[in-house]
Amino acid sequence: MYSTYSLLSYVLKYKIDIVFVQNGARAKKTDFTQSKIIGDNDHIITIKKPKENPQWMSENEIKEIPEEIRICEIKTKDKVLIITMLCVKKTPAKLIKNLYKQRWNIEVDFRNIKITLDLKEFKCKTPKMIIKGMWVSFLAYNIIRSLMLSSALYANVTPRTISFKSTLQLYLHYLDMKIYSKHNLQTLLKLIAEKVIGNRAGRIEPRFLKKRGNAYKLLTVPRNIARAEVVKNGHYKKMK
């Protein structure tokens, strides 16, 4: 999904370096004895522009897609990684593999946005309000992140060792107190830094739901129609 030609050309255009997992089908066909060999299971390849164009790109963007691009492929355990950084001296294979291990932080950051800030679904009824709600949530996210950074600088710790959820709870309590002073702010920063989280490097979690879902059907009709259906046929019986 992420290692498509269009997306790779897009990030290269804006000089954005990436580390992605190669698509499953392409990873199986990877032959490290071909193209420019850098080391064991490490080479630079040239990819040709596909005939089909992505729907999400405009006509002008499609015209700017190059006819070919060069990327690097590296194998780490059971995965093939693709990167846009081609200089072996600046980005050796070991550095890339260690960088990929930090991907868990991205998963946690997404969780903080979707679950901690309750942005897993939009409750607005118009696209305009949905966009506005999304940006307000991102603003709140950045405020909490800036507090975490200030706390890390104040306590001389790494920002990644500070809990996002704990920072949010302490900040909300700080706002409820309605006593905004330099002393109270320093106390807040100190308390934020005290909540230390564990080292999550290389962490793996199974992609399963921990709790069973509700056995009732989804409400897909207006409530007045659903009520009339209950009066006529009785309540829906849960699946065993």
Side-chain angles (χ1 to χ4, degrees):
M1 176 181 178
Y2 296 115
S3 57
T4 58
Y5 188 93
S6 54
L7 185 55
L8 289 171
S9 62
Y10 184 84
V11 297
L12 287 171
K13 174 185 174 181
Y14 292 98
K15 299 180 180 180
I16 302 172
D17 289 320
I18 55 93
V19 178
F20 288 157
V21 175
Q22 182 63 282
N23 285 338
R26 295 179 184 173
K28 293 178 181 178
K29 298 178 181 178
T30 302
D31 185 359
F32 288 100
T33 63
Q34 301 296 322
S35 302
K36 184 179 178 180
I37 301 172
I38 301 174
D40 294 337
N41 297 327
D42 186 1
H43 67 171
I44 295 176
I45 62 173
T46 301
I47 306 177
K48 301 292 183 179
K49 179 181 177 180
K51 295 181 180 180
E52 296 183 0
N53 297 316
Q55 296 180 352
W56 58 271
M57 277 188 164
S58 65
E59 292 185 5
N60 291 333
E61 289 176 328
I62 292 173
K63 290 179 182 178
E64 294 178 355
I65 296 178
E67 293 299 322
E68 61 181 33
I69 57 176
R70 299 176 72 217
I71 61 170
C72 182
E73 288 184 318
I74 300 175
K75 187 174 183 180
T76 169
K77 293 185 178 180
D78 59 336
K79 289 181 172 59
V80 176
L81 305 180
I82 60 172
I83 62 173
T84 54
M85 299 161 279
L86 306 182
C87 182
V88 181
K89 293 181 179 180
K90 291 183 179 180
T91 54
K94 185 177 181 180
L95 177 65
I96 299 301
K97 293 176 182 179
N98 290 333
L99 180 63
Y100 179 71
K101 290 180 180 178
Q102 300 177 28
R103 71 194 184 281
W104 178 256
N105 290 325
I106 301 174
E107 299 284 348
V108 175
D109 292 342
F110 282 148
R111 184 198 64 185
N112 287 330
I113 295 173
K114 294 171 63 178
I115 307 301
T116 309
L117 295 181
D118 194 23
L119 198 63
K120 57 183 178 294
E121 61 183 26
F122 296 101
K123 301 177 178 64
C124 303
K125 296 183 179 180
T126 62
K128 184 177 179 180
M129 290 305 297
I130 288 175
I131 294 173
K132 184 180 290 186
M134 180 180 66
W135 282 115
V136 169
S137 297
F138 288 162
L139 175 62
Y141 178 81
N142 288 332
I143 290 174
I144 300 303
R145 283 294 178 190
S146 64
L147 271 174
M148 294 170 66
L149 178 59
S150 298
S151 176
L153 293 172
Y154 179 79
N156 195 25
V157 297
T158 306
R160 279 293 181 189
T161 63
I162 297 176
S163 169
F164 182 91
K165 187 172 184 178
S166 176
T167 303
L168 174 61
Q169 292 172 339
L170 288 169
Y171 182 58
L172 292 176
H173 179 68
Y174 171 77
L175 295 178
D176 288 339
M177 290 173 59
K178 297 181 180 180
I179 306 176
Y180 312 118
S181 65
K182 183 178 181 180
H183 173 73
N184 288 334
L185 179 59
Q186 289 178 344
T187 303
L188 172 65
L189 297 179
K190 181 180 178 182
L191 291 173
I192 290 173
E194 288 180 354
K195 184 64 176 179
V196 179
I197 58 178
N199 182 13
R200 293 167 170 158
R203 183 171 174 179
I204 297 174
E205 292 290 343
R207 295 184 180 274
F208 296 101
L209 294 175
K210 188 175 180 180
K211 296 181 180 179
R212 290 184 174 86
N214 198 316
Y216 289 106
K217 293 171 62 178
L218 293 175
L219 181 64
T220 57
V221 296
R223 287 186 179 275
N224 58 334
I225 297 177
R227 291 192 187 101
E229 184 68 22
V230 172
V231 172
K232 181 179 179 181
N233 300 318
H235 285 285
Y236 167 74
K237 294 181 180 180
K238 292 191 295 182
M239 296 175 61
K240 295 182 179 179

